[in-house]
Amino acid sequence: MKVIICKNYEEVAKKAASLVIKEIKSNPHLNIGLATGSSPLGLYKNLIEAYQNHEVSFNDVTSYNLDEYIGIDRSHPQSYYSFMFENLFKHIDIKPENIHLPNNDLAQIDHIADDYNQILHEHILDLQILGIGSNGHIGFNEPGTPLESETFIVTLDEQTRKDNSRFFKNLDEVPKYAITMGIKNIMYSKKIILIASGKEKAKAIHEMIKGKITTKFPASILQLHPDCTIILDMESASHLS
Ligand code: GLP
């Protein structure tokens, strides 16, 4: 793992954007895995700015999102579909047909995981962006998810639902299920960049980098990835030394 510690979140976002832009410049047809949550928001802002300043184009980039809630419609403001369009896609020149998010249609529940997995098998990711949950989840791979897991439907941890309730009116509104890329899908990406900030993440960051590799703390498995860069602010890195 390569660990980069920045002064603050603004610097984390800039650093992550500079690495992503470098990858797109060296391969304009990049297959990129994208994440939601507050952590990548600054990265997306910087990417939008870089596009507006003609520094980078997403015209040939293809994206694959990590996960999506099940139980809310794609049109719901808190769906990851809405999140991605609001915070990135509608501001850049990525082609709509190159955007992939897991389908969350309940009517197709028996095959949506296999369908998305098939797409991932056909397109190896060059770069995967990740955040980390306070319980160590990556995507929605909650503690206990087996290493070999591929895209599946997950029952969300109570901790995850509590953490994410800040985006909803109350805890009851937070979906109980989601569809997520599995740990194996994530580990197959050629490169990984994980972003974290804030003191609430300090324990999880310590566990991920210094803790023992265990499915009980899914992010620790990233220690086994050959090209994984962790970009942190000082607060989230505060338990490392
Ligand atoms: C969500 C997402 C994850 C994300 C995590 C952390 O539950 N499924 O992909 O990394 O929460 O979110 P945040 O960056 O808002 O702390």
Side-chain angles (χ1 to χ4, degrees):
M1 278 176 163
K2 182 175 172 198
V3 181
I4 301 175
I5 302 174
C6 303
K7 199 168 68 209
N8 52 34
Y9 179 66
E10 224 186 312
E11 297 299 317
V12 168
K14 272 196 204 147
K15 182 69 197 170
S18 74
L19 295 179
V20 172
I21 292 167
K22 197 171 130 207
E23 291 300 319
I24 298 175
K25 283 189 171 160
S26 74
N27 173 14
H29 288 87
L30 197 77
N31 282 333
I32 186 167
L34 295 175
T36 52
S38 350
S39 304
L41 272 178
L43 158 65
Y44 296 157
K45 280 205 184 94
N46 279 272
L47 291 180
I48 294 166
E49 262 175 49
Y51 163 69
Q52 288 167 344
N53 297 335
H54 309 286
E55 264 174 67
V56 69
S57 166
F58 298 85
N59 198 42
D60 295 319
V61 170
T62 304
S63 73
Y64 302 87
N65 260 79
L66 274 173
D67 47 15
E68 176 60 288
Y69 287 120
I70 288 182
I72 56 173
D73 200 73
R74 275 188 161 183
S75 62
H76 188 288
Q78 291 309 328
S79 77
Y80 287 166
Y81 184 90
S82 301
F83 176 101
M84 288 310 302
F85 275 84
E86 277 312 307
N87 294 301
L88 184 63
F89 297 149
K90 78 174 188 191
H91 306 283
I92 59 173
D93 62 344
I94 189 165
K95 293 185 187 117
E97 64 270 28
N98 286 352
I99 294 171
H100 301 85
L101 278 112
N103 181 356
N104 67 350
D105 183 359
L106 279 175
Q108 300 179 51
I109 198 82
D110 53 341
H111 59 86
I112 53 179
D114 286 348
D115 292 351
Y116 200 62
N117 211 42
Q118 184 63 32
I119 297 175
L120 295 174
H121 275 248
E122 286 162 11
H123 306 89
I124 300 287
L125 296 179
D126 298 300
L127 172 62
Q128 175 67 58
I129 305 298
L130 290 179
I132 179 172
S134 62
N135 64 357
H137 75 215
I138 46 177
F140 270 135
N141 290 275
E142 302 284 26
T145 307
L147 258 178
E148 325 74 58
S149 62
E150 300 195 43
T151 316
F152 66 105
I153 293 174
V154 58
T155 304
L156 297 176
D157 257 23
E158 275 318 290
Q159 185 58 49
T160 299
R161 294 186 65 242
K162 271 185 209 139
D163 288 349
N164 290 3
S165 64
R166 68 189 193 278
F167 299 113
F168 292 82
K169 278 198 205 99
N170 53 51
L171 185 60
D172 284 346
E173 282 210 358
V174 184
K176 294 194 167 69
Y177 305 97
I179 173 169
T180 183
M181 278 189 202
I183 292 178
K184 188 168 173 184
N185 301 114
I186 294 173
M187 291 297 277
Y188 259 60
S189 177
K190 290 184 200 156
K191 280 181 198 274
I192 294 178
I193 295 177
L194 183 143
I195 302 165
S197 65
K199 55 180 184 323
E200 320 72 51
K201 294 280 169 80
K203 254 179 91 179
I205 292 301
H206 177 266
E207 199 70 19
M208 167 176 75
I209 298 173
K210 301 257 165 120
K212 109 168 180 249
I213 301 171
T214 165
T215 53
K216 287 188 194 139
F217 199 85
S220 66
I221 294 159
L222 297 173
Q223 291 178 34
L224 300 171
H225 193 279
D227 191 348
C228 179
T229 303
I230 315 288
I231 310 180
L232 307 172
D233 71 344
M234 306 245 271
E235 286 188 349
S236 60
S238 60
H239 288 198
L240 285 180
S241 45

